[in-house]
Amino acid sequence: MAMINYSTILSPLLAAIMIYSVSANFHQDVEITWGDGRGQITNNGDLLTLSLDKSSGSGFQSKNEYLFGKIDMQIKLVAGNSAGTVTAYYLKSSGSTWDEIDFEFLGNLSGDPYTLHTNVFTQGKGDREQQFKLWFDPTIDFHTYSILWNPQRIIFSVDGTPIREFKNMESQGTLFPKNQPMRMYSSLWNAEDWATRGGLVKTDWSKAPFTASYRGFSEEACVVSNGKSSCSNGSGQGSSSGSWLSQELDSTGQERMRWVQSNYMIYNYCTDAKRFPQGLPRECLSA
């Protein structure tokens, strides 16, 4: 009878474990970085809340740093009159030529929908905004907002529905974030000078404090520690087919994204020719 070499079976499994990390305890996974007590972790680490009053907002960041990953967060946004407030949830590297992948939720008057603002920065250059109205009220319950970032693409998703894809088109001269490790950040802050209708609607401080709630944080990621990635070669080479490191949108995902963009997109930089009088960005022409 042939002997089974268990080491050859376990090695790929151990490698997979190194790049697959799911977390759910905020005490272990994040640190509140500002706000003088306006950020709170409760329920044995299962719930985190950020609040904003006239004096200050609050924010937190992940303890881990990532070079590619799939990051999920369940968020319940500020209810009622949230005009002037911004709840930001994003990945960002350090330095003056930073990379960044943004979800920003721009508050509004009671009864009016939030604006979901997305952007991608590479080496300090952004100007890649797409904005959406959501197809549900994000203040009634928690909803999952996901960033998938791998060497080939960035996919923004809401409750598992993709809303935006930013592909790696470096071969065509478009910068793509792939070299700088990023942390996950979130904050709740006052942006009444621009957030609601270009700053025309101001924050109603009689409604303060404003509170956003978080739960269900998870990370499947290449974690960078002491300059080294938990993924082989630091870039996911050799990852199994179908993992997040090589994930792309199938035909169903593409169809769902088109549905969102057809019905709920309210701004797309790639169609704003007036903003780019010298020509649209390369990625818009190649999409």
Side-chain angles (χ1 to χ4, degrees):
M1 184 174 66
M3 297 293 292
I4 299 174
N5 187 343
Y6 286 100
S7 63
T8 61
I9 297 173
L10 288 174
S11 293
L13 292 176
L14 291 173
I17 290 170
M18 289 182 69
I19 63 172
Y20 187 95
S21 172
V22 177
S23 304
N25 189 305
F26 284 116
H27 285 301
Q28 297 175 5
D29 304 323
V30 309
E31 54 186 348
I32 296 172
T33 50
W34 63 283
D36 289 332
R38 293 173 181 83
Q40 297 284 336
I41 298 174
T42 59
N43 290 13
N44 296 316
D46 291 337
L47 183 70
L48 187 153
T49 56
L50 295 180
S51 64
L52 164 70
D53 57 31
K54 200 167 185 177
S55 298
S56 178
S58 48
F60 66 94
Q61 69 181 47
S62 64
K63 292 182 179 179
N64 283 334
E65 202 171 24
Y66 318 106
L67 186 60
F68 307 123
K70 182 179 184 295
I71 308 299
D72 299 332
M73 183 74 79
Q74 296 178 30
I75 307 174
K76 182 165 65 173
L77 296 174
V78 174
N81 184 355
S82 57
T85 71
V86 173
T87 305
Y89 158 58
Y90 57 103
L91 300 178
K92 186 176 185 293
S93 66
S94 60
S96 59
T97 55
W98 73 98
D99 295 341
E100 186 172 341
I101 305 169
D102 286 342
F103 275 109
E104 289 185 315
F105 304 91
L106 313 186
N108 217 328
L109 296 168
S110 298
D112 291 341
Y114 267 76
T115 295
L116 170 52
H117 178 99
T118 66
N119 204 351
V120 177
F121 287 77
T122 311
Q123 297 177 26
K125 182 183 181 300
D127 297 332
R128 295 161 168 170
E129 301 93 341
Q130 289 183 358
Q131 294 183 341
F132 306 82
K133 300 295 186 186
L134 294 169
W135 51 96
F136 53 84
D137 185 341
T139 72
I140 293 176
D141 205 348
F142 289 89
H143 293 269
T144 302
Y145 303 93
S146 305
I147 298 170
L148 171 70
W149 169 40
N150 65 31
Q152 298 82 35
R153 58 188 42 82
I154 297 164
I155 300 173
F156 298 79
S157 299
V158 177
D159 288 338
T161 296
I163 64 170
R164 176 178 184 180
E165 180 180 31
F166 185 84
K167 294 181 179 179
N168 184 342
M169 292 188 287
E170 286 187 315
S171 62
Q172 300 175 40
T174 298
L175 295 174
F176 186 84
K178 67 172 188 176
N179 297 316
Q180 301 189 73
M182 299 196 245
R183 293 186 190 274
M184 183 276 296
Y185 296 87
S186 191
S187 57
L188 175 59
W189 50 288
N190 175 36
E192 65 177 358
D193 56 333
W194 66 268
T196 306
R197 300 179 191 171
L200 294 176
V201 180
K202 302 301 182 181
T203 306
D204 182 356
W205 293 110
S206 71
K207 307 297 183 183
F210 305 97
T211 302
S213 301
Y214 300 76
R215 71 182 187 191
F217 168 56
S218 70
E219 55 180 23
E220 301 172 53
C222 299
V223 174
V224 176
S225 179
N226 297 319
K228 295 183 179 180
S229 171
S230 61
C231 295
S232 60
N233 299 328
S235 60
Q237 298 298 315
S239 61
S240 60
S241 176
S243 74
W244 60 267
L245 270 167
S246 57
Q247 184 176 333
E248 58 186 79
L249 293 177
D250 58 17
S251 58
T252 300
Q254 292 282 358
E255 183 178 349
R256 294 170 73 189
M257 185 172 68
R258 285 193 294 269
W259 171 78
V260 172
Q261 294 184 351
S262 296
N263 292 281
Y264 298 99
M265 180 183 283
I266 58 173
Y267 178 79
N268 181 3
Y269 76 113
C270 281
T271 61
D272 192 349
K274 292 182 179 179
R275 182 177 171 187
F276 303 100
Q278 298 185 0
L280 291 172
R282 289 190 183 94
E283 66 267 20
C284 298
L285 303 175
S286 304

